[in-house]
């Protein structure tokens, strides 16, 4: 158990709020606030990193390093550099990306696009990797394994940085002070946040009016434009990249840009009903990597359906509309539209400071700060903010998978 006064696993969550036994594994300590999710997360990551697969163990950890470096996640870069050596990886690869085999370096374009602008992925990216000459080509099984690792560690980087998770002290972390016990509503001017959310949920439940398809499309387009107007933390600041991260990056200046940008032609909207996770992405993975496909589906469902029927201090609450608004807002940021969803609900349920936090965690997680974490949902429990981060992780992961699996489907047909 974590002792009061010691440094907890997170810079943002007071150590008194961490109740699990996972001392020494800071990710598990934070995820352990929700044991059902932690269980399926662990199973999925174990399958990707340890069980039978197309990539060797050193290659898997090196791909994890490549993915984590895109978001400057020192926790994961450090952890998987150690794991890479433990499973027999060549130490020279850790000298920098240029020292890695050409076959791995060829993943760079896919890595940076998946991390920052997944809507740009097309079948040509897949074709180039599968048809490279000189013994540097990827098999389809290898590429699927690499894509699953890249998307997993991009999204996990968001979770770690969004929750302020420290690298465990036994991994040569820089010493930091204990996580403070700060009352959730200290200095708060938003004491009615939970009541406002509950009132909006009730209003939506009572309205029950039919909305035309034309109006639903109008509301999505409006929300898509408004997504671009929501800033992320530190929008005008230049990111500083740590030297230990920089040598694993090619094109470090390549980052997220808004799907819809003022004065520019937006890429085509990804209509989720034309290529759904359930009917297309999941079924493709069931053919190509059935073990991971099933675990991912389980993980998506656990994260989305997780509820204790509470909202801050209120109990007996149906939070399904709030969870759906969070999930669909993140995928809207990536240009994905659900035809049967009324995007007007997003603005009713998600206030601006929450949107800023969500967009920063998803698109620029290296910019998250304690102030940003404390600035939304001040009445809510830390465990509820961790659940929010599960939804961000999984919605982002599914969005990236939908784009790359659609590209693979188009390559195969």
């Amino acid at each position: 158990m974590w002792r009061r006064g010691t440094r907890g696993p997170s810079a943002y969550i007071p150590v008194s709020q961490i109740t699990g036994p996972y001392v020494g594994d800071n990710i598990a300590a934070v995820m352990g606030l929700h044991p059902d999710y932690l269980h399926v997360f662990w199973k999925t990551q174990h399958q990707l990193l340890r069980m039978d697969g197309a990539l060797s163990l050193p290659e898997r950890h090196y791909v994890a390093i490549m993915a984590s470096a895109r978001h400057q996640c020192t926790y994961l870069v450090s952890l998987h550099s150690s794991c890479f050596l433990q499973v027999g990886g060549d130490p020279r690869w850790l000298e920098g990306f240029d020292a890695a085999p050409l076959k791995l370096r060829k993943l760079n374009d896919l890595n940076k696009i998946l991390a920052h602008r997944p809507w740009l992925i097309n079948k040509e990216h897949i074709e180039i990797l599968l048809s490279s000459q000189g013994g540097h080509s990827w098999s389809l099984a290898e590429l699927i394994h690499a894509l699953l690792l890249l998307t997993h560690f991009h999204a996990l980087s968001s979770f770690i940085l969004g929750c302020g998770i420290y690298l465990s002290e036994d991994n040569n972390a820089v010493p930091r002070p204990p996580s403070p016990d700060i009352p959730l509503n200290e200095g708060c001017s938003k004491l009615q946040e939970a009541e406002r959310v509950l009132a909006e949920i009730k209003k939506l439940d009572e309205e029950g009016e039919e909305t035309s398809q034309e109006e639903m499309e109008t509301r999505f387009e409006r929300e898509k434009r408004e997504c671009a107007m929501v800033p992320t933390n530190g929008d005008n600041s230049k990111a500083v990249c740590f030297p230990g991260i920089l040598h694993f990056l090619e094109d470090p200046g390549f980052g997220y840009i808004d799907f819809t940008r003022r004065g520019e032609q937006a890429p085509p909207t990804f209509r989720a009903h034309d290529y759904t996770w359930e009917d297309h992405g999941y079924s493709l993975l069931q053919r190509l990597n059935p073990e991971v496909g099933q675990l991912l589906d389980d993980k998506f469902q656990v994260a989305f359906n997780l509820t204790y029927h509470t909202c801050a201090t209120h109990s007996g609450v149906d939070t399904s509309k709030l969870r759906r608004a969070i999930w669909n807002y993140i995928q809207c940021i990536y240009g994905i539209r659900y035809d049967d969803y009324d995007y007007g609900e997003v603005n009713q349920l998600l206030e601006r400071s929450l949107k800023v936090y969500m967009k920063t965690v998803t698109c620029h997680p290296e910019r998250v700060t304690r102030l940003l974490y404390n600035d939304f949902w001040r009445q809510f429990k830390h465990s509820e903010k961790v659940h929010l981060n599960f939804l961000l992780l999984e919605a982002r992961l599914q969005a990236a998978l939908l784009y790359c699996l659609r590209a693979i489907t188009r390559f195969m047909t």
Side-chain angles (χ1 to χ4, degrees), residues 39-200:
H39 177 67
V40 70
F41 173 86
W42 256 348
K43 285 176 66 176
T44 307
Q45 183 162 275
H46 184 75
Q47 183 69 42
L48 286 169
L49 290 174
R50 299 293 180 188
M51 301 301 284
D52 289 344
L55 297 179
S56 70
L57 296 183
E59 287 173 328
R60 299 179 201 194
H61 289 292
Y62 201 81
V63 171
I65 294 167
M66 290 171 56
S68 308
R70 289 307 319 178
H71 288 309
Q72 303 177 39
C73 185
T74 53
Y75 185 115
L76 290 176
V77 171
S78 176
L79 175 64
H80 288 280
S81 294
S82 297
C83 292
F84 173 80
L85 295 174
Q86 289 168 12
V87 298
D90 186 340
R92 290 174 296 182
W93 294 14
L94 297 182
E95 293 173 5
F97 193 58
D98 290 342
L102 178 59
K103 181 175 176 178
L104 283 171
R105 300 205 308 272
K106 284 181 174 290
L107 273 181
N108 178 63
D109 280 353
L110 211 55
N111 180 26
K112 71 180 186 182
I113 293 170
L114 270 175
H116 306 297
R117 307 175 202 172
W119 56 86
L120 297 179
I121 289 177
N122 56 50
K123 67 178 184 179
E124 284 73 27
H125 292 109
I126 307 301
E127 186 174 11
I128 288 169
L129 289 167
L130 296 180
S131 60
S132 297
Q133 302 298 313
H136 303 299
S137 65
W138 290 73
S139 70
L140 183 57
E142 288 174 326
L143 184 56
I144 288 289
H145 198 168
L147 288 170
L148 291 169
L149 286 164
L150 290 172
T151 51
H152 175 85
F153 284 103
H154 293 151
L156 183 56
S157 295
S158 279
F159 179 82
I160 289 169
L161 295 164
C163 293
I165 298 176
Y166 291 126
L167 188 63
S168 301
E169 289 177 335
D170 57 2
N171 281 87
N172 301 316
V174 177
R176 300 194 190 191
S179 305
D181 279 308
I182 301 173
L184 288 183
N185 61 353
E186 186 175 294
C188 178
S189 60
K190 306 176 184 176
L191 291 180
Q192 305 305 315
E193 270 184 321
E195 287 72 18
R196 188 195 69 79
V197 171
L198 291 173
E200 291 296 344

Side-chain angles (χ1 to χ4, degrees), residues 121 126 144 147-148 275 277 280-282 284-285 288 296 398 400-412:
I121 289 177
I126 307 301
I144 288 289
L147 288 170
L148 291 169
Y275 194 94
W277 165 254
H280 302 93
Y282 172 62
L284 179 61
L285 273 185
L288 300 174
L296 281 171
Q398 189 184 85
L401 282 174
L402 285 172
Y403 278 110
C404 62
L405 292 173
R406 183 180 67 171
I408 290 170
T409 299
R410 288 176 173 175
F411 169 78
M412 294 171 66

